[in-house]
DNA sequence: CGTGTTTGACCTGCGC
DNA sequence: GCGCAGGTCAAACACG
């Protein structure tokens, strides 16, 4: 809760690249332990659920068990085989069309921990070292059945106090547990959302 | 035993 | 075509 970094949202420049909606906030993020008191207190499940919704694009990925790649690998792009479900979720290359990805929503927080406890259950499925960054990037997927939401968590190398979380997709289910902390974060995000503050320097760094 | 993490290998896109 | 970087898979492992 020191200072709110930045917040911005880039427009879906549908040009091949992804669209990022970026926002910044600072929080005492606590997550250390994901679901201990995992009670389904679906207190509305509105907050984050609504906030990260990208209106359209992938809202279908819904029940398609997400992964059903027959060959195990290369599922991400070899997807479009007609099974509808996944094909339209990952709008990658569709027979010739230029690839287009789901919009991502990123926001940075000033926190000691990497993972924000946003009320959903996530399963880590990968971690990669990122170029020009001392810290690795972690990849998470929502564990809820049929929910295809992913998120990446990365810490800035030049400011290790800042954690960048990138969400991709929309949750197809209500939040699994309420979380005052995250609600607080969201509140901040909304507030700053109105300011239209754009951190250019940072954006140049993170996404391209 | 169920769930989540770690980690090396693999795949793909992109720039040169 | 090659190499690099990002993204994902899945087996092995750890933990409650």
């Amino acid at each position: 809760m020191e200072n709110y970094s930045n917040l911005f949202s880039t427009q879906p420049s549908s040009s091949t690249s992804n669209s990022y909606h970026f926002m910044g906030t600072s929080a005492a993020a606590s997550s250390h332990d994901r679901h201990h008191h995992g009670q389904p207190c679906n207190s509305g499940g509105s907050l984050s659920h609504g906030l990260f919704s990208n209106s359209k694009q992938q809202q279908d990925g819904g029940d398609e068990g997400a992964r059903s790649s027959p060959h195990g690998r290369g599922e991400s792009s070899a997807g479009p085989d007609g099974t509808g479900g996944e094909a339209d979720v990952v709008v990658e290359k569709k027979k010739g069309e230029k690839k287009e990805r789901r919009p991502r929503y990123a926001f940075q927080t000033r926190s000691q921990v990497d993972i924000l406890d946003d009320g959903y259950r996530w399963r880590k499925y990968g971690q990669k070292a990122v170029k020009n960054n001392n810290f690795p990037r972690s990849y998470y997927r929502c564990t809820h059945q049929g929910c295809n939401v992913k998120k990446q968590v990365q810490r800035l190398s030049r400011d290790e106090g800042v954690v960048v979380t990138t969400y991709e997709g929309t949750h197809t289910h209500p939040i699994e547990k309420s979380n005052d902390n995250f609600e607080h974060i969201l509140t901040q995000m909304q507030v700053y959302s109105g300011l239209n503050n754009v951190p250019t320097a940072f954006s140049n760094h993170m996404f391209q």
Side-chain angles (χ1 to χ4, degrees):
Chain A
M1 311 163 179
E2 296 108 62
N3 57 352
Y4 305 99
S5 1
N6 359 35
L7 149 80
F8 75 82
S9 62
T10 57
Q11 279 313 305
S13 57
S14 63
S15 63
T16 276
S17 50
N18 337 311
S19 56
Y20 288 105
H21 295 248
F22 195 92
M23 7 200 169
T25 142
S26 84
S30 72
S31 72
H32 20 328
D33 102 52
R34 224 74 59 80
H35 58 240
H36 249 159
H37 30 263
Q39 354 184 59
C41 37
N42 28 342
S43 64
S46 45
L47 253 145
S48 62
H49 189 58
L51 208 147
F52 294 125
S53 62
N54 4 336
S55 29
K56 36 185 151 222
Q57 314 244 5
Q58 108 101 46
Q59 55 181 320
D60 23 16
D63 45 40
E64 182 58 17
R67 128 155 336 80
S68 59
S69 60
H71 329 299
R73 302 256 148 100
E75 149 261 13
S76 58
S77 56
D81 54 295
T83 41
E86 184 141 287
D88 44 26
V89 174
V90 183
V91 203
E92 307 244 316
K93 53 181 171 192
K94 244 206 234 170
K95 39 184 105 173
E97 292 180 19
K98 64 172 155 209
K99 92 174 195 184
E100 192 174 338
R101 291 183 184 171
R102 296 185 267 177
R104 297 181 184 178
Y105 296 84
F107 62 89
Q108 60 175 314
T109 61
R110 197 165 272 286
S111 166
Q112 303 289 10
V113 297
D114 291 347
I115 315 298
L116 295 178
D117 194 359
D118 53 11
Y120 291 100
R121 292 178 62 188
W122 301 93
R123 189 170 73 87
K124 189 174 186 175
Y125 67 89
Q127 175 173 302
K128 287 287 288 189
V130 183
K131 193 180 179 185
N132 296 326
N133 195 323
N134 301 327
F135 304 97
R137 174 182 299 159
S138 297
Y139 300 89
Y140 297 86
R141 201 192 308 271
C142 182
T143 62
H144 190 277
Q145 186 176 24
C147 184
N148 210 21
V149 179
K150 297 175 195 172
K151 80 171 177 182
Q152 301 176 3
V153 178
Q154 179 176 15
R155 198 172 279 277
L156 289 185
S157 64
R158 51 179 202 172
D159 186 354
E160 55 186 72
V162 176
V163 176
V164 179
T165 304
T166 305
Y167 284 85
E168 182 177 338
T170 308
H171 288 286
T172 59
H173 56 96
I175 195 168
E176 301 197 9
K177 73 171 184 180
S178 70
N179 188 307
D180 293 340
N181 176 51
F182 193 63
E183 288 185 12
H184 172 70
I185 297 174
L186 292 173
T187 299
Q188 303 299 343
M189 288 168 62
Q190 291 178 330
V191 169
Y192 277 76
S193 156
L195 295 179
N196 248 353
N197 182 8
V198 182
T200 51
F202 183 77
S203 64
N204 292 338
H205 238 72
M206 290 307 301
F207 315 114
Q208 52 210 342

